Amino acid sequence: MTFHVEYPRTVPARRPEGHQPAAPRYTLRWDKPVGELISAYFAMQGHGLPPERQAGFLERLTTGFGEADGPAAHEVMRFVDEAGETNAVAVGYWTDTTAYARWSRGSTVARWLADDARLAEPGIGYWREAIAVPYDRHETIYSAPGYRIGLARTAGAAIVAMTTNGYFGAARDRIPLSAIDALESPLAAAPPEARPVASRGKRLTAATPHNMCVLRSGQFWEDAGPEQLGDYRENLEPKLMRGMDYLAGHKGDTGTLALRVMTNIDADGAGRAETSVLAYFLALEQLEAWARSHQTHLDIYHHAIAMNRKFKAKREVVTWHELFVMPAAASFEYVNCHPRTGVLPYCSLFEAAR
Amino acid sequence: MTFHVEYPRTVPARRPEGHQPAAPRYTLRWDKPVGELISAYFAMQGHGLPPERQAGFLERLTTGFGEADGPAAHEVMRFVDEAGETNAVAVGYWTDTTAYARWSRGSTVARWLADDARLAEPGIGYWREAIAVPYDRHETIYSAPGYRIGLARTAGAAIVAMTTNGYFGAARDRIPLSAIDALESPLAAAPPEARPVASRGKRLTAATPHNMCVLRSGQFWEDAGPEQLGDYRENLEPKLMRGMDYLAGHKGDTGTLALRVMTNIDADGAGRAETSVLAYFLALEQLEAWARSHQTHLDIYHHAIAMNRKFKAKREVVTWHELFVMPAAASFEYVNCHPRTGVLPYCSLFEAAR
């Protein structure tokens, strides 16, 4: 079987009349029913972050991921954030919310993260950003069917051809719930403004707003030969980084609440030929507006399309994304982090009651 | 159209082979796609609760419900809780989560409830318990098609005949997600124990656990003639109250986190011939265990069935329920309430960060 959810449309599709994409793209389907999807990011944060500390943290996380009710897939990554601090990241993917909920209480990682000792490590912060959505609040796209990353590594997932691509609005059309829900932000009329927060020495839970849009967008060039590697490094990557710099530098205008450019790393902590951007937007509509109309995105988009057309099945750079529109939640936690970490500047913050 | 969600089963149905119910029952369907359902309970709590204060509160709520993005239906009720305090309750039903999220920020009620002045009214508490679920996490049943209450009052809802009834496990089988998810509590192995909390003078957010089961179960006898009224008052109601007393008195054993027997009231604050029980259980499985095996429920169940069989279409007492299995949420708020209010003794509690 191939599982999917579809609703009788009450919100018009964005697909133009008669549209057929010039080239196929791919998306995920599972061979079993999947009610809910979870991606949970765990990170250690600090200036410089010594290699042995990073290695110890990632070892702890990946060992914990192997315990009962652990994730179906995981990856490890690293990035330097806007405050100049290094963040070592482990992301786990679950397709069973109850298993995730059990793991997030009972695992060694959960107990270790909940320990008050985490509040008192000088210069070190920890954060957990857990994205949990019903199946009908997600969509995926891959430029090629052969490389598995992110959700595509979970058991039962298959990368299959689709034709809901190649026009602005296709990502929205791929989200099943978009057929019956405009997925608007309730904060659209009064978007939150960044504010300073007191976050050091504290364990803060952030309440993320209804319909916050989560994008993990990636590129993988390990298999690229000299020609395509050169093009990626000299053309696509700089365009991509200009786009990300624009979003990160214009958070208020673009509805960007946080954005990190992460590099996948190997067991020794060395960077792989793979990066992804984890970004949060107040509303899908704002991400769409940038994608449709801003030159920094059009430059990325047109170059990626041109290379896909030029090399066709011989294209050696894989691009992909997975997108989630989250219901209101209080599933992001920041422990002794710096005040500009993640969504801290934008969201309502809570502490455990005394 | 009639909207509904169904999944290819991976979890066996509870329905016995070849089961056909002896009598029809009814359930809700909407004539439009409904992605998510919200019932939000707002209450004022105090010893005695003078009629003019109750009336003022309910007037404020129902006026607020009439503002932009307000609920599709609402009711007002009253009950005396286990601590002996009176609670005046207004419940709103939405079928649009974004509208609910907008209303819960922008309405006069939201601003009034968020005001710190609510923390300083002597002897008066306020609470808000908002239950928001995707459509596939709910089910309903009505003994008759003619009376509309609760979710059944929302626009586009119709009470339709069904045959998924008349056996233990039918409620579970009616929840679409149960076809692919056992809906277990992640806390089953270590259920929370009641603990004293410091709640007066505070605004506390309670994090309700994943798959908490919410039941609103009601009875309406306004149209009952002397014979059926007598039977309700002398037989069914006492059995019902014994069952509720048992659950409320054995919270730990039964997984009951809170239980209130509420009476609907009219515009003058007088009780109507209608009650409902709002109860929270750690897991659907625990509610099922009581229903299947405990004498207090069997007494209710057998009497209700006997009366339905005796009077058939002339049955003048309507019984019904609506049930939700909630994802993990932080959508219950308690402002200056007594420590035994709602789920306060059982859930993780948070305050706004300073």
Side-chain angles (χ1 to χ4, degrees), chain A residues 55-115:
Chain A
F57 170 76
L58 295 175
E59 169 69 18
R60 179 186 299 279
L61 264 287
T62 53
T63 300
F65 282 163
E67 295 168 9
D69 295 311
H74 73 266
E75 294 166 50
V76 293
M77 298 173 282
R78 185 168 55 184
F79 70 94
V80 176
D81 65 26
E82 292 163 70
E85 299 209 9
T86 299
N87 293 251
V89 180
V91 56
Y93 288 91
W94 282 258
T95 57
D96 177 336
T97 311
T98 307
Y100 167 70
R102 277 196 288 252
W103 186 89
S104 68
R105 292 182 60 88
S107 66
T108 55
V109 169
R111 289 195 297 274
W112 173 83
L113 190 59
D115 193 318

Side-chain angles (χ1 to χ4, degrees), chain B residues 111-287:
Chain B
R111 289 195 296 274
W112 173 83
L113 190 59
D115 192 316
D116 280 348
R118 300 290 84 67
L119 287 162
E121 296 183 31
I124 296 291
Y126 296 95
W127 50 267
R128 170 179 61 88
E129 296 176 353
I131 296 122
V133 295
Y135 180 94
D136 63 7
R137 286 177 165 273
H138 101 286
E139 63 88 13
T140 55
I141 187 171
Y142 307 85
S143 67
Y147 180 63
R148 286 173 176 262
I149 187 70
L151 270 180
R153 293 184 176 182
T154 60
I159 298 180
V160 303
M162 65 161 172
T163 61
T164 307
N165 64 279
Y167 60 95
F168 291 115
R172 175 183 293 265
D173 284 355
R174 289 191 299 267
I175 303 170
L177 189 61
S178 75
I180 62 173
D181 188 322
L183 303 175
E184 292 172 346
S185 172
L187 308 186
E193 293 184 21
R195 66 188 190 309
V197 298
S199 57
R200 292 287 192 194
K202 295 187 178 186
R203 182 184 298 275
L204 297 172
T205 295
T208 51
H210 187 64
N211 286 341
M212 185 174 80
C213 174
V214 179
L215 179 69
R216 184 181 175 201
S217 176
Q219 32 284 324
F220 172 75
W221 63 92
E222 194 169 282
D223 298 336
E227 181 184 7
Q228 295 195 36
L229 176 64
D231 175 73
Y232 178 74
R233 286 297 203 185
E234 287 157 35
N235 293 305
L236 188 56
E237 190 175 62
K239 291 178 201 296
L240 183 66
M241 292 308 138
R242 274 197 293 277
M244 298 305 103
D245 285 347
Y246 175 77
L247 290 172
H250 297 79
K251 289 207 179 78
D253 298 344
T254 58
T256 306
L257 301 180
L259 186 147
R260 291 91 163 224
V261 183
M262 311 181 295
T263 301
N264 280 62
I265 56 180
D266 65 20
D268 298 327
R272 302 184 61 216
E274 172 149 43
T275 56
S276 58
V277 176
L278 176 65
Y280 302 124
F281 301 93
L282 187 62
L284 172 59
E285 188 177 13
Q286 292 175 293
L287 172 58

Side-chain angles (χ1 to χ4, degrees), chain A residues 1 3 5 7-10 32-36 96-98 101-102 105 134 136-137 177 180-181 183-187 190 198 202 204-205 210-211 327-330 348-354, chain B residues 1 3 5 7-10 32-36 96-98 101-102 105 134 136-137 177 180-181 183-187 190 198 202 204-205 210-211 327-330 348-354:
Chain A
M1 69 161 291
F3 177 73
V5 169
Y7 296 114
R9 266 201 182 278
T10 55
K32 60 182 179 187
V34 173
E36 290 154 342
D96 177 336
T97 311
T98 307
R102 277 196 288 252
R105 292 182 60 88
D136 64 7
R137 285 176 164 274
L177 189 61
I180 62 174
D181 188 322
L183 302 174
E184 293 172 346
S185 173
L187 308 186
K202 295 187 178 187
L204 297 172
T205 296
H210 188 64
N211 285 342
S348 299
L349 302 177
F350 296 87
E351 290 181 276
R354 288 147 296 146
Chain B
M1 71 161 292
F3 177 73
V5 169
Y7 296 114
R9 267 201 181 277
T10 56
K32 60 183 180 186
V34 173
E36 290 155 341
D96 177 335
T97 312
T98 307
R102 276 195 289 252
R105 292 183 59 90
D136 63 7
R137 286 177 165 273
L177 189 61
I180 62 173
D181 188 322
L183 303 175
E184 292 172 346
S185 172
L187 308 186
K202 295 187 178 186
L204 297 172
T205 295
H210 187 64
N211 286 341
S348 299
L349 303 177
F350 296 86
E351 291 180 274
R354 286 149 296 147

Side-chain angles (χ1 to χ4, degrees), chain B residues 252-320:
Chain B
D253 298 344
T254 58
T256 306
L257 301 180
L259 186 147
R260 291 91 163 224
V261 183
M262 311 181 295
T263 301
N264 280 62
I265 56 180
D266 65 20
D268 298 327
R272 302 184 61 216
E274 172 149 43
T275 56
S276 58
V277 176
L278 176 65
Y280 302 124
F281 301 93
L282 187 62
L284 172 59
E285 188 177 13
Q286 292 175 293
L287 172 58
E288 290 174 317
W290 172 73
R292 185 175 54 237
S293 64
H294 200 268
Q295 196 57 46
T296 56
H297 182 261
L298 297 176
D299 289 347
I300 300 166
Y301 186 70
H302 292 141
H303 190 80
I305 287 179
M307 290 306 107
N308 287 335
R309 284 188 182 159
K310 178 175 177 182
F311 295 110
K312 295 195 173 65
K314 295 196 168 64
R315 179 68 171 145
E316 297 153 350
V317 175
V318 178
T319 57
W320 65 281

